[in-house]
Amino acid sequence: MSPTATIAVSGMNAASRRLEVSASNVANARSTGALPNADGTLPAGAPKAYVPLELVQSDVAGGGTQTTITRSSSGTSASYDPSAPFANKDGLVAAPNVDLAQEMISQLVAKYSFAANARVLKVSDEMSRTVIDMKV
């Protein structure tokens, strides 16, 4: 595979992972859990809230990109839901800090990034075929 194609494929893989991370965040945006105690532990038997994911994308020496998935540093925040069986005495639960508008933007970035890299891959293939089909 040509270096151009390798770079384009790494970009397509990164776009796919970006979409996976965003889809996971959107699907779990309402997955609340118990607020941790003062010492950071959860009450016995209480569910843990979903912690949103983040995609870290970095350059690779020689071209291309790589991705790493990490847990969001913003994690969760207190949300009022007194009907939850694991709510504390004030009716608060831990809710994931998922910004749906930002997730939509992330999904659009993934879509356009994938399409652009797919086009680069197609053009690279066409150029290779043209070179092979040349008559000397």
Side-chain angles (χ1 to χ4, degrees), residues 14-99:
S16 294
R17 289 193 80 190
R18 180 177 305 282
L19 186 59
E20 290 171 14
V21 165
S22 181
S24 177
N25 288 344
V26 170
N28 292 292
R30 295 187 178 223
S31 300
T32 59
L35 277 174
N37 296 323
D39 62 359
T41 62
L42 289 177
K48 184 177 181 190
Y50 173 76
V51 177
L53 302 174
E54 291 180 350
L55 183 87
V56 179
Q57 189 170 339
S58 56
D59 297 336
V60 173
T65 188
Q66 68 181 7
T67 57
T68 306
I69 297 174
T70 61
R71 299 245 180 236
S72 174
S73 58
S74 61
T76 61
S77 62
S79 180
Y80 186 70
D81 186 5
S83 64
F86 47 83
N88 68 10
K89 63 180 168 53
D90 298 323
L92 297 175
V93 297
N97 284 330
V98 175
D99 181 354

Side-chain angles (χ1 to χ4, degrees), residues 75-122:
T76 61
S77 62
S79 180
Y80 186 70
D81 186 5
S83 64
F86 47 83
N88 68 10
K89 63 180 168 53
D90 298 323
L92 297 175
V93 297
N97 284 330
V98 175
D99 181 354
L100 293 178
Q102 186 61 42
E103 294 303 331
M104 183 64 175
I105 291 168
S106 183
Q107 290 176 13
L108 288 172
V109 166
K111 173 185 173 181
Y112 291 120
S113 176
F114 189 91
N117 281 292
R119 184 67 182 143
V120 167
L121 191 60
K122 182 178 178 185

